[in-house]
Amino acid sequence: GCVLDGKLYPFGNIERTENCLKCSCSPRAMSCCSLFHTPVRYDKENCKVVFNQEICDYEVVLKSDPSTECVVYSRV
């Protein structure tokens, strides 16, 4: 298998690691990509970015009221 962040994963495709990555593990190498997109265009003065580990994605919420989502114009 392959080791990532101290955890052993079996050969083959790994749909989701503990760190929200999708990986492919082979005897020669392990390659991974993130399952989330980082917000880059939003109201940075009034909103903040919070990572939600359960859904493997960033949420952008009002600083004054974290229960209210902000509009995100683009992600990378």
Side-chain angles (χ1 to χ4, degrees), residues 5-21:
D5 296 325
K7 183 172 179 180
L8 179 63
Y9 291 93
F11 290 125
N13 291 323
I14 300 128
E15 291 301 316
R16 179 180 164 179
T17 68
E18 291 178 1
N19 294 329
C20 297
L21 300 174

Side-chain angles (χ1 to χ4, degrees), residues 5-76:
D5 296 325
K7 183 172 179 180
L8 179 63
Y9 291 93
F11 290 125
N13 291 323
I14 300 128
E15 291 301 316
R16 179 180 164 179
T17 68
E18 291 178 1
N19 294 329
C20 297
L21 300 174
K22 182 176 183 173
C23 301
S24 175
C25 171
S26 74
R28 293 181 162 207
M30 183 174 197
S31 61
C32 300
C33 60
S34 65
L35 292 171
F36 51 87
H37 297 93
T38 306
V40 290
R41 288 191 55 228
Y42 59 93
D43 180 356
K44 294 178 181 171
E45 185 175 320
N46 296 305
C47 301
K48 65 180 180 177
V49 176
V50 179
F51 190 74
N52 184 328
Q53 187 76 28
E54 289 181 27
I55 64 170
C56 286
D57 203 3
Y58 286 102
E59 297 174 339
V60 181
V61 296
L62 280 176
K63 291 178 182 177
S64 61
D65 179 12
S67 65
T68 303
E69 290 187 26
C70 295
V71 175
V72 177
Y73 300 104
S74 67
R75 295 175 181 254
V76 293

